[in-house]
Amino acid sequence: MNKEGCLFCRIIRGDVPATRVHEDEQVLAIRDINPQAPVHVLVIPKDHVATIGDSLETVNAPNRLFALFHAAGKLAVELGIQRSGYRVVVNSGAEGGQTVDHLHLHLLGGRQMVWPPG
Ligand code: AMP
Ligand code: ZN
């Protein structure tokens, strides 16, 4: 999927509505439309890279990955799941279960997580 047709790029541009919970220069965080936990937020880099591997091929990789984890950690505090605990997930590629080919972290919390994941 190219940038123009990418769902998350369209959300970042404001062409598709989403519930925004955080935005800064590098990152947008939105509520997942199909939440898998009481708190389910997607933390998305504003520049289009499909996967962790694609991100690593860019000069901005360290900044981008730091910005994603930094935002996820701050949001965990703001959304009240820092103390109880939470999970951060990146699905990557077909067997990883990735359905939107724009890198994103899932921040999940508000219920007991189980291991191993499905
Ligand atoms: P993944 O399967 O890891 O690629 O995650 C994609 C996530 O995007 C899924 O959890 C979907 O529920 C979520 N999603 C799909 N469309 C939207 C949308 N329009 N707004 C918010 N979240 C979405
Ligand atoms: Zn994109």
Side-chain angles (χ1 to χ4, degrees):
M1 181 67 75
N2 62 12
K3 279 200 239 191
E4 284 64 39
C6 169
L7 173 63
F8 288 169
C9 284
R10 292 172 67 200
I11 288 174
I12 289 159
R13 288 198 299 267
D15 295 346
V16 172
T19 305
R20 295 171 179 237
V21 293
H22 168 80
E23 184 165 11
D24 61 41
E25 246 179 49
Q26 295 189 81
V27 166
L28 175 68
I30 62 171
R31 298 277 182 189
D32 196 292
I33 206 168
N34 182 22
Q36 301 301 310
V39 174
H40 188 172
V41 165
L42 303 175
V43 186
I44 307 168
K46 284 189 168 174
D47 56 335
H48 179 93
V49 287
T51 62
I52 296 172
D54 285 354
S55 177
L56 289 178
E57 290 174 12
T58 70
V59 289
N60 194 34
N63 278 335
R64 185 186 300 107
L65 295 181
F66 174 78
L68 292 175
F69 277 92
H70 186 260
K74 299 274 274 189
L75 280 163
V77 174
E78 283 172 25
L79 299 172
I81 55 172
Q82 163 68 26
R83 276 168 172 272
S84 50
Y86 58 89
R87 183 170 288 175
V88 175
V89 173
V90 182
N91 298 324
S92 197
E95 287 200 358
Q98 185 173 12
T99 59
V100 177
D101 290 336
H102 181 133
L103 177 63
H104 51 283
L105 306 188
H106 294 258
L107 173 64
L108 297 146
R111 68 167 168 83
Q112 180 62 54
M113 299 295 153
V114 293
W115 195 263

